[in-house]
PDB file of all heavy atoms in Angstrom:
ATOM      1  N   ALA S 209      25.615 -15.214  10.060  1.00  0.00           N
ATOM      2  CA  ALA S 209      26.190 -14.744  11.287  1.00  0.00           C
ATOM      3  C   ALA S 209      25.231 -14.676  12.468  1.00  0.00           C
ATOM      4  O   ALA S 209      25.576 -14.114  13.464  1.00  0.00           O
ATOM      5  CB  ALA S 209      26.859 -13.367  11.081  1.00  0.00           C
ATOM      6  N   SER S 210      24.064 -15.271  12.353  1.00  0.00           N
ATOM      7  CA  SER S 210      23.226 -15.414  13.542  1.00  0.00           C
ATOM      8  C   SER S 210      23.730 -16.521  14.427  1.00  0.00           C
ATOM      9  O   SER S 210      23.394 -16.659  15.555  1.00  0.00           O
ATOM     10  CB  SER S 210      21.742 -15.651  13.156  1.00  0.00           C
ATOM     11  OG  SER S 210      21.536 -17.007  12.872  1.00  0.00           O
ATOM     12  N   PHE S 211      24.530 -17.447  13.813  1.00  0.00           N
ATOM     13  CA  PHE S 211      25.158 -18.528  14.502  1.00  0.00           C
ATOM     14  C   PHE S 211      24.152 -19.268  15.412  1.00  0.00           C
ATOM     15  O   PHE S 211      24.412 -19.521  16.587  1.00  0.00           O
ATOM     16  CB  PHE S 211      26.357 -17.994  15.352  1.00  0.00           C
ATOM     17  CG  PHE S 211      27.442 -17.403  14.524  1.00  0.00           C
ATOM     18  CD1 PHE S 211      27.909 -16.136  14.812  1.00  0.00           C
ATOM     19  CD2 PHE S 211      27.858 -18.036  13.383  1.00  0.00           C
ATOM     20  CE1 PHE S 211      28.901 -15.539  14.022  1.00  0.00           C
ATOM     21  CE2 PHE S 211      28.873 -17.409  12.550  1.00  0.00           C
ATOM     22  CZ  PHE S 211      29.365 -16.207  12.911  1.00  0.00           C
ATOM     23  N   ASN S 212      23.023 -19.616  14.815  1.00  0.00           N
ATOM     24  CA  ASN S 212      22.007 -20.390  15.494  1.00  0.00           C
ATOM     25  C   ASN S 212      21.537 -19.776  16.827  1.00  0.00           C
ATOM     26  O   ASN S 212      21.280 -20.504  17.766  1.00  0.00           O
ATOM     27  CB  ASN S 212      22.473 -21.812  15.749  1.00  0.00           C
ATOM     28  CG  ASN S 212      22.830 -22.518  14.457  1.00  0.00           C
ATOM     29  OD1 ASN S 212      22.026 -22.490  13.521  1.00  0.00           O
ATOM     30  ND2 ASN S 212      23.963 -23.144  14.386  1.00  0.00           N
ATOM     31  N   GLY S 213      21.478 -18.465  16.849  1.00  0.00           N
ATOM     32  CA  GLY S 213      20.949 -17.839  18.014  1.00  0.00           C
ATOM     33  C   GLY S 213      21.980 -17.110  18.897  1.00  0.00           C
ATOM     34  O   GLY S 213      21.611 -16.384  19.820  1.00  0.00           O
ATOM     35  N   VAL S 214      23.220 -17.327  18.593  1.00  0.00           N
ATOM     36  CA  VAL S 214      24.258 -16.662  19.394  1.00  0.00           C
ATOM     37  C   VAL S 214      24.200 -15.155  19.269  1.00  0.00           C
ATOM     38  O   VAL S 214      24.340 -14.438  20.224  1.00  0.00           O
ATOM     39  CB  VAL S 214      25.667 -17.198  19.034  1.00  0.00           C
ATOM     40  CG1 VAL S 214      26.751 -16.390  19.728  1.00  0.00           C
ATOM     41  CG2 VAL S 214      25.809 -18.658  19.430  1.00  0.00           C
ATOM     42  N   ALA S 215      23.967 -14.704  18.077  1.00  0.00           N
ATOM     43  CA  ALA S 215      23.902 -13.225  17.859  1.00  0.00           C
ATOM     44  C   ALA S 215      22.796 -12.625  18.720  1.00  0.00           C
ATOM     45  O   ALA S 215      22.980 -11.638  19.434  1.00  0.00           O
ATOM     46  CB  ALA S 215      23.615 -12.906  16.367  1.00  0.00           C
ATOM     47  N   ALA S 216      21.627 -13.212  18.703  1.00  0.00           N
ATOM     48  CA  ALA S 216      20.510 -12.746  19.513  1.00  0.00           C
ATOM     49  C   ALA S 216      20.833 -12.840  20.962  1.00  0.00           C
ATOM     50  O   ALA S 216      20.502 -11.920  21.762  1.00  0.00           O
ATOM     51  CB  ALA S 216      19.221 -13.522  19.174  1.00  0.00           C
ATOM     52  N   LEU S 217      21.447 -13.904  21.378  1.00  0.00           N
ATOM     53  CA  LEU S 217      21.823 -14.097  22.779  1.00  0.00           C
ATOM     54  C   LEU S 217      22.718 -13.003  23.256  1.00  0.00           C
ATOM     55  O   LEU S 217      22.501 -12.392  24.303  1.00  0.00           O
ATOM     56  CB  LEU S 217      22.553 -15.464  22.942  1.00  0.00           C
ATOM     57  CG  LEU S 217      23.206 -15.722  24.312  1.00  0.00           C
ATOM     58  CD1 LEU S 217      22.141 -15.762  25.427  1.00  0.00           C
ATOM     59  CD2 LEU S 217      23.946 -17.055  24.266  1.00  0.00           C
ATOM     60  N   LEU S 218      23.786 -12.659  22.455  1.00  0.00           N
ATOM     61  CA  LEU S 218      24.677 -11.620  22.833  1.00  0.00           C
ATOM     62  C   LEU S 218      23.993 -10.262  22.898  1.00  0.00           C
ATOM     63  O   LEU S 218      24.221  -9.463  23.806  1.00  0.00           O
ATOM     64  CB  LEU S 218      25.855 -11.595  21.896  1.00  0.00           C
ATOM     65  CG  LEU S 218      26.766 -12.776  21.919  1.00  0.00           C
ATOM     66  CD1 LEU S 218      27.922 -12.588  20.937  1.00  0.00           C
ATOM     67  CD2 LEU S 218      27.323 -13.023  23.284  1.00  0.00           C
ATOM     68  N   THR S 219      23.149  -9.994  21.912  1.00  0.00           N
ATOM     69  CA  THR S 219      22.395  -8.710  21.961  1.00  0.00           C
ATOM     70  C   THR S 219      21.649  -8.589  23.293  1.00  0.00           C
ATOM     71  O   THR S 219      21.665  -7.570  23.927  1.00  0.00           O
ATOM     72  CB  THR S 219      21.356  -8.705  20.841  1.00  0.00           C
ATOM     73  OG1 THR S 219      21.990  -9.053  19.624  1.00  0.00           O
ATOM     74  CG2 THR S 219      20.671  -7.375  20.680  1.00  0.00           C
ATOM     75  N   MET S 220      21.014  -9.608  23.682  1.00  0.00           N
ATOM     76  CA  MET S 220      20.158  -9.564  24.924  1.00  0.00           C
ATOM     77  C   MET S 220      21.033  -9.426  26.128  1.00  0.00           C
ATOM     78  O   MET S 220      20.659  -8.694  27.083  1.00  0.00           O
ATOM     79  CB  MET S 220      19.290 -10.832  24.969  1.00  0.00           C
ATOM     80  CG  MET S 220      18.227 -10.831  23.826  1.00  0.00           C
ATOM     81  SD  MET S 220      17.464 -12.454  23.626  1.00  0.00           S
ATOM     82  CE  MET S 220      16.320 -12.130  22.313  1.00  0.00           C
ATOM     83  N   LEU S 221      22.152 -10.132  26.183  1.00  0.00           N
ATOM     84  CA  LEU S 221      23.030 -10.029  27.376  1.00  0.00           C
ATOM     85  C   LEU S 221      23.607  -8.595  27.489  1.00  0.00           C
ATOM     86  O   LEU S 221      23.854  -8.106  28.570  1.00  0.00           O
ATOM     87  CB  LEU S 221      24.174 -10.991  27.268  1.00  0.00           C
ATOM     88  CG  LEU S 221      23.831 -12.446  27.552  1.00  0.00           C
ATOM     89  CD1 LEU S 221      24.985 -13.380  27.148  1.00  0.00           C
ATOM     90  CD2 LEU S 221      23.460 -12.684  28.998  1.00  0.00           C
ATOM     91  N   ASN S 222      23.722  -7.914  26.351  1.00  0.00           N
ATOM     92  CA  ASN S 222      24.235  -6.588  26.335  1.00  0.00           C
ATOM     93  C   ASN S 222      23.173  -5.511  26.255  1.00  0.00           C
ATOM     94  O   ASN S 222      23.479  -4.350  25.902  1.00  0.00           O
ATOM     95  CB  ASN S 222      25.208  -6.398  25.103  1.00  0.00           C
ATOM     96  CG  ASN S 222      26.520  -7.161  25.332  1.00  0.00           C
ATOM     97  OD1 ASN S 222      27.319  -6.721  26.080  1.00  0.00           O
ATOM     98  ND2 ASN S 222      26.675  -8.261  24.702  1.00  0.00           N
ATOM     99  N   SER S 223      21.948  -5.885  26.543  1.00  0.00           N
ATOM    100  CA  SER S 223      20.876  -4.944  26.414  1.00  0.00           C
ATOM    101  C   SER S 223      21.152  -3.645  27.192  1.00  0.00           C
ATOM    102  O   SER S 223      21.562  -3.654  28.311  1.00  0.00           O
ATOM    103  CB  SER S 223      19.608  -5.589  26.989  1.00  0.00           C
ATOM    104  OG  SER S 223      18.545  -4.597  26.881  1.00  0.00           O
ATOM    105  N   CYS S 224      20.960  -2.528  26.509  1.00  0.00           N
ATOM    106  CA  CYS S 224      21.178  -1.260  27.184  1.00  0.00           C
ATOM    107  C   CYS S 224      19.997  -0.861  28.002  1.00  0.00           C
ATOM    108  O   CYS S 224      20.006   0.154  28.713  1.00  0.00           O
ATOM    109  CB  CYS S 224      21.547  -0.151  26.204  1.00  0.00           C
ATOM    110  SG  CYS S 224      20.453  -0.065  24.795  1.00  0.00           S
ATOM    111  N   ALA S 225      18.952  -1.619  28.025  1.00  0.00           N
ATOM    112  CA  ALA S 225      17.819  -1.443  28.916  1.00  0.00           C
ATOM    113  C   ALA S 225      17.987  -2.310  30.169  1.00  0.00           C
ATOM    114  O   ALA S 225      18.280  -3.478  30.065  1.00  0.00           O
ATOM    115  CB  ALA S 225      16.485  -1.746  28.249  1.00  0.00           C
ATOM    116  N   ALA S 226      17.926  -1.678  31.317  1.00  0.00           N
ATOM    117  CA  ALA S 226      18.024  -2.430  32.559  1.00  0.00           C
ATOM    118  C   ALA S 226      16.796  -3.206  32.783  1.00  0.00           C
ATOM    119  O   ALA S 226      15.742  -2.942  32.244  1.00  0.00           O
ATOM    120  CB  ALA S 226      18.253  -1.495  33.749  1.00  0.00           C
ATOM    121  N   GLY S 227      16.881  -4.327  33.560  1.00  0.00           N
ATOM    122  CA  GLY S 227      15.737  -5.120  33.835  1.00  0.00           C
ATOM    123  C   GLY S 227      15.518  -6.272  32.889  1.00  0.00           C
ATOM    124  O   GLY S 227      14.464  -6.960  32.925  1.00  0.00           O
ATOM    125  N   VAL S 228      16.449  -6.485  31.953  1.00  0.00           N
ATOM    126  CA  VAL S 228      16.351  -7.568  30.976  1.00  0.00           C
ATOM    127  C   VAL S 228      17.128  -8.725  31.504  1.00  0.00           C
ATOM    128  O   VAL S 228      18.369  -8.624  31.779  1.00  0.00           O
ATOM    129  CB  VAL S 228      16.825  -7.084  29.599  1.00  0.00           C
ATOM    130  CG1 VAL S 228      16.804  -8.320  28.664  1.00  0.00           C
ATOM    131  CG2 VAL S 228      15.974  -5.990  29.061  1.00  0.00           C
ATOM    132  N   LEU S 229      16.506  -9.912  31.555  1.00  0.00           N
ATOM    133  CA  LEU S 229      17.144 -11.118  32.052  1.00  0.00           C
ATOM    134  C   LEU S 229      17.157 -12.126  30.882  1.00  0.00           C
ATOM    135  O   LEU S 229      16.176 -12.124  30.110  1.00  0.00           O
ATOM    136  CB  LEU S 229      16.383 -11.641  33.241  1.00  0.00           C
ATOM    137  CG  LEU S 229      16.395 -10.721  34.425  1.00  0.00           C
ATOM    138  CD1 LEU S 229      15.231 -10.964  35.305  1.00  0.00           C
ATOM    139  CD2 LEU S 229      17.719 -10.788  35.205  1.00  0.00           C
ATOM    140  N   VAL S 230      18.122 -12.985  30.835  1.00  0.00           N
ATOM    141  CA  VAL S 230      18.230 -13.804  29.642  1.00  0.00           C
ATOM    142  C   VAL S 230      18.283 -15.323  29.995  1.00  0.00           C
ATOM    143  O   VAL S 230      18.735 -15.678  31.095  1.00  0.00           O
ATOM    144  CB  VAL S 230      19.575 -13.498  28.880  1.00  0.00           C
ATOM    145  CG1 VAL S 230      19.678 -14.262  27.606  1.00  0.00           C
ATOM    146  CG2 VAL S 230      19.662 -12.028  28.663  1.00  0.00           C
ATOM    147  N   VAL S 231      17.690 -16.146  29.138  1.00  0.00           N
ATOM    148  CA  VAL S 231      17.740 -17.605  29.281  1.00  0.00           C
ATOM    149  C   VAL S 231      18.436 -18.135  28.046  1.00  0.00           C
ATOM    150  O   VAL S 231      18.778 -17.419  27.100  1.00  0.00           O
ATOM    151  CB  VAL S 231      16.374 -18.238  29.512  1.00  0.00           C
ATOM    152  CG1 VAL S 231      15.768 -17.738  30.845  1.00  0.00           C
ATOM    153  CG2 VAL S 231      15.486 -17.942  28.359  1.00  0.00           C
ATOM    154  N   ASN S 232      18.674 -19.428  28.043  1.00  0.00           N
ATOM    155  CA  ASN S 232      19.379 -20.122  26.969  1.00  0.00           C
ATOM    156  C   ASN S 232      18.594 -19.984  25.638  1.00  0.00           C
ATOM    157  O   ASN S 232      17.369 -19.734  25.629  1.00  0.00           O
ATOM    158  CB  ASN S 232      19.515 -21.566  27.278  1.00  0.00           C
ATOM    159  CG  ASN S 232      20.637 -22.258  26.451  1.00  0.00           C
ATOM    160  OD1 ASN S 232      21.159 -21.658  25.540  1.00  0.00           O
ATOM    161  ND2 ASN S 232      20.883 -23.534  26.707  1.00  0.00           N
ATOM    162  N   ILE S 233      19.287 -20.161  24.532  1.00  0.00           N
ATOM    163  CA  ILE S 233      18.658 -20.098  23.212  1.00  0.00           C
ATOM    164  C   ILE S 233      17.551 -21.148  23.108  1.00  0.00           C
ATOM    165  O   ILE S 233      17.711 -22.292  23.491  1.00  0.00           O
ATOM    166  CB  ILE S 233      19.750 -20.393  22.160  1.00  0.00           C
ATOM    167  CG1 ILE S 233      20.827 -19.330  22.183  1.00  0.00           C
ATOM    168  CG2 ILE S 233      19.187 -20.549  20.771  1.00  0.00           C
ATOM    169  CD1 ILE S 233      22.145 -19.716  21.489  1.00  0.00           C
ATOM    170  N   ASP S 234      16.397 -20.710  22.612  1.00  0.00           N
ATOM    171  CA  ASP S 234      15.242 -21.539  22.400  1.00  0.00           C
ATOM    172  C   ASP S 234      14.609 -22.071  23.745  1.00  0.00           C
ATOM    173  O   ASP S 234      13.770 -22.973  23.695  1.00  0.00           O
ATOM    174  CB  ASP S 234      15.555 -22.716  21.468  1.00  0.00           C
ATOM    175  CG  ASP S 234      15.795 -22.271  20.054  1.00  0.00           C
ATOM    176  OD1 ASP S 234      15.293 -21.216  19.662  1.00  0.00           O
ATOM    177  OD2 ASP S 234      16.494 -22.968  19.351  1.00  0.00           O
TER     178      ASP S 234
END
Side-chain angles (χ1 to χ4, degrees):
Chain S
S210 81
F211 300 130
N212 299 312
V214 171
L217 171 64
L218 293 183
T219 308
M220 292 166 179
L221 285 169
N222 287 286
S223 178
C224 50
V228 174
L229 299 156
V230 187
V231 295
N232 197 357
I233 297 165
D234 291 335

